[in-house]
């Protein structure tokens, strides 16, 4: 893509007279084939899975799937049960899709959770992203995720038999 083409693409969604030049533009809603690049603990004590789109129009773009397991907000107000439950289900689903075994201890310690998820670096998965309006901060819509396992190609196996010289008849 030439610089001219890139400028046209950027300017199609940017008003130079009023839009923030440093704003992060996340992925649009859609289905994505992703690969885990990194796993870390955020400054807000969340599990952060950095994943890159590896197929399609948005190839190369990054999504940070940040999942908090706090039971209270930063102001000390209790989070609704449905929010906590959804976050637990999100962690469990992502773990299942990536083949990560989450131990009981990980639910009590974000450091352990991050360590266990670090085994997923390099693994691929399918992500469905839905966006909902955030009335308080419209530039940061609410994100809803669904994850699916990428099925292994049945013709690409690691079950190749080993053959030694003793197995060869001549």
């Amino acid at each position: 893509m030439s610089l001219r083409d890139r400028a046209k693409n950027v300017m199609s969604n940017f008003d130079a007279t009023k839009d923030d030049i440093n704003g992060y533009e996340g992925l649009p809603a859609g289905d994505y084939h992703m690969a885990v690049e990194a796993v870390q603990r955020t400054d807000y004590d969340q599990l952060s899975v950095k994943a890159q789109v590896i197929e399609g129009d948005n190839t190369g773009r990054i999504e940070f799937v940040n999942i908090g397991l706090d039971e209270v907000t930063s102001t000390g107000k209790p989070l609704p049960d449905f929010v906590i439950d959804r976050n637990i289900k999100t962690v469990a689903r992502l773990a299942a899709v990536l083949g990560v075994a989450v131990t009981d201890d990980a639910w009590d310690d974000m450091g352990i959770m991050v360590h266990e998820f670090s085994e997923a670096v390099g693994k691929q998965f399918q992500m469905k992203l839905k966006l909902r309006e955030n009335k308080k901060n419209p530039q940061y819509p609410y994100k809803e995720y669904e994850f699916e396992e990428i099925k292994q190609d049945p013709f690409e196996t690691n079950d190749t038999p080993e053959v030694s010289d003793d197995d060869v008849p001549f």
Side-chain angles (χ1 to χ4, degrees):
M1 174 185 299
S2 72
L3 186 55
R4 179 183 297 191
D5 291 339
R6 187 176 189 113
K8 284 181 183 178
N9 187 33
V10 169
M11 297 305 290
S12 68
N13 297 319
F14 178 72
D15 182 347
T17 62
K18 62 181 177 182
D19 288 348
D20 182 7
I21 62 173
N22 296 310
Y24 171 72
E25 185 180 322
L27 283 174
D31 293 331
Y32 299 98
H33 186 160
M34 309 292 288
V36 177
E37 282 196 355
V39 177
Q40 65 183 28
R41 184 181 199 164
T42 70
D43 293 341
Y44 300 104
D45 206 31
Q46 297 176 330
L47 172 67
S48 180
V49 177
K50 178 183 178 185
Q52 183 179 93
V53 178
I54 59 174
E55 283 183 359
D57 293 339
N58 290 290
T59 297
R61 300 219 20 216
I62 301 293
E63 178 70 13
F64 289 92
V65 180
N66 295 325
I67 310 163
L69 296 172
D70 291 333
E71 297 179 82
V72 295
T73 66
S74 59
T75 61
K77 181 180 173 186
L79 282 168
D81 287 342
F82 80 91
V83 172
I84 300 167
D85 293 350
R86 183 190 64 222
N87 290 350
I88 290 170
K89 290 175 185 178
T90 302
V91 168
R93 178 63 181 189
L94 188 56
V97 165
L98 295 173
V100 172
V102 178
T103 63
D104 289 341
D105 290 340
W107 295 104
D108 295 325
D109 185 332
M110 186 55 71
I112 295 172
M113 180 78 69
V114 168
H115 175 73
E116 291 176 359
F117 265 88
S118 67
E119 296 173 13
V121 172
K123 293 188 178 178
Q124 297 178 20
F125 63 101
Q126 193 70 26
M127 179 183 79
K128 182 175 201 151
L129 174 62
K130 292 182 183 178
L131 303 175
R132 289 186 303 115
E133 179 184 14
N134 181 344
K135 292 180 182 175
K136 291 182 182 177
N137 289 320
Q139 69 273 24
Y140 300 109
Y142 293 115
K143 296 179 178 184
E144 295 176 2
Y145 298 101
E146 287 294 334
F147 307 110
E148 295 292 330
E149 183 178 1
I150 301 268
K151 300 294 184 202
Q152 181 178 340
D153 182 350
F155 299 108
E156 185 179 302
T157 66
N158 293 332
D159 299 331
T160 306
E162 290 188 31
V163 179
S164 70
D165 290 339
D166 295 334
D167 297 328
V168 179
F170 46 87

